[in-house]
Amino acid sequence: MESNKTSDIIEIQGFDISPGFIYPLFFLLLFVYLTLLFSNIGVLVLIITEKSLQQPMYILFCNLSVNDLIGNTVLLPQLMAHIISTERFITYNQCVVQAFYSHTFGSASHMILMIGLTVRLSRCRSFIQNAYCDNASLFKLSCEDVSINNIYGLFFTVLLFSCSMGGIAVTYFRIAVICWVKKNKEMRSRALQTCASHLVLYLIMLWSGFLTIILHRFPNYPDLRKIAYILFHVVPANLNPIIYGMQTRSLREKIIQIMQRQVTPT
């Protein structure tokens, strides 16, 4: 087993794409990336510039947009570069940074301990069987016993998803109780519309994130794991501004006002 003097240049497996699909896939990802940049930056600018929206609820929307921007900026530009390039290399330090921000995007609370457990390992490999850097890909570069990393990763996954699903269930139950007690048809309709869209978005993020973590333990499905991870990033980042922007009355009214000012001659 070699020590940490192993080459700092890491090769990333990426996707095996037929030549005819390289540029269509590249431009599809570019369109997705530009769309989420436009929508999330638009929400940020709107909330920052409109004093009436500078309230705690809308500050949370800002945090959500910043998180989406960071998570996808760490992933998509490099992924697009690797799609059109035959050389898919990254330095180990860059890989660590990408893994750090990748897990910040998913869940920041356990990030420092998880990455710390991985960095302590010596490396004997310089090839990542993935299209991006995450914690599981990093500790697979080691020939040491990574049982602690696996146990911690699986334990936190179970804890995270249990708390997440439990919190969502409690929240929706309380909303249902309030709607039932109030017996207001308009309130029920609005709650159903809002909760349904939120629930669809949550389930997409939940299952794509769950598949990404679980499929690291099943090396026979590398492409499915990569696709699940990309969906975990780009789908919520594109839908969040739509759901929170168009279904929140104050934000929706400000967006409509701005659009009307743009199309109405002065």
Side-chain angles (χ1 to χ4, degrees):
M1 181 178 68
E2 297 182 23
S3 66
N4 279 337
K5 294 181 180 179
T6 303
S7 172
D8 278 338
I9 303 299
I10 307 296
E11 183 179 359
I12 294 182
Q13 183 182 40
F15 289 97
D16 292 324
I17 305 169
S18 301
F21 291 98
I22 290 177
Y23 285 100
L25 181 57
F26 172 83
F27 285 111
L28 175 62
L29 288 176
L30 179 61
F31 174 77
V32 169
Y33 182 54
L34 292 177
T35 301
L36 69 89
L37 281 180
F38 175 79
S39 58
N40 283 284
I41 291 175
V43 169
L44 281 172
V45 171
L46 181 62
I47 293 174
I48 291 171
T49 56
E50 293 289 340
K51 290 186 178 181
S52 62
L53 299 178
Q54 293 174 6
Q55 301 175 30
M57 181 177 67
Y58 301 110
I59 300 301
L60 291 177
F61 294 165
C62 281
N63 293 335
L64 186 64
S65 292
V66 169
N67 192 47
D68 286 339
L69 288 169
I70 292 175
N72 284 279
T73 299
V74 166
L75 170 69
L76 291 180
Q78 180 188 292
L79 183 59
M80 289 186 288
H82 286 172
I83 285 175
I84 61 176
S85 174
T86 56
E87 296 184 353
R88 298 167 178 168
F89 297 101
I90 188 172
T91 68
Y92 180 74
N93 288 338
Q94 289 173 333
C95 204
V96 170
V97 171
Q98 189 181 45
F100 179 87
Y101 281 109
S102 170
H103 290 281
T104 301
F105 176 82
S107 175
S109 60
H110 75 303
M111 163 189 60
I112 296 174
L113 175 58
M114 185 174 64
I115 297 295
L117 286 172
T118 298
V119 173
R120 70 179 175 80
L121 299 170
S122 62
R123 290 176 284 123
C124 63
R125 303 183 182 93
S126 58
F127 180 70
I128 285 182
Q129 296 179 332
N130 218 337
Y132 51 86
C133 293
D134 62 357
N135 187 60
S137 297
L138 281 171
F139 69 65
K140 288 178 182 178
L141 295 175
S142 176
C143 293
E144 293 185 33
D145 182 7
V146 295
S147 299
I148 294 177
N149 301 71
N150 267 314
I151 291 170
Y152 178 77
L154 289 173
F155 171 78
F156 183 81
T157 299
V158 173
L159 180 63
L160 174 66
F161 282 98
S162 297
C163 293
S164 177
M165 289 184 288
I168 290 291
V170 170
T171 301
Y172 277 68
F173 176 75
R174 293 185 65 181
I175 291 173
V177 169
I178 291 173
C179 291
W180 179 263
V181 171
K182 295 292 184 181
K183 295 182 178 181
N184 186 313
K185 289 185 178 180
E186 182 181 356
M187 180 184 292
R188 289 182 185 178
S189 176
R190 288 171 56 191
L192 180 61
Q193 182 182 5
T194 302
C195 292
S197 57
H198 289 186
L199 185 59
V200 169
L201 179 62
Y202 173 77
L203 289 175
I204 292 173
M205 188 172 64
L206 181 73
W207 286 109
S208 57
F210 179 77
L211 282 174
T212 300
I213 296 169
I214 296 302
L215 288 173
H216 262 297
R217 278 76 188 174
F218 297 92
N220 293 331
Y221 305 98
D223 286 339
L224 183 58
R225 182 183 69 245
K226 299 168 195 173
I227 292 170
Y229 187 80
I230 293 170
L231 290 176
F232 176 74
H233 276 70
V234 302
V235 173
N238 278 280
L239 293 182
N240 279 333
I242 297 174
I243 290 176
Y244 291 103
M246 299 310 296
Q247 292 197 354
T248 304
R249 178 177 294 178
S250 299
L251 277 175
R252 184 175 66 247
E253 289 176 351
K254 291 296 181 182
I255 292 171
I256 293 173
Q257 288 176 11
I258 291 173
M259 293 177 65
Q260 288 176 342
R261 287 201 297 263
Q262 296 295 324
V263 300
T264 303
T266 56

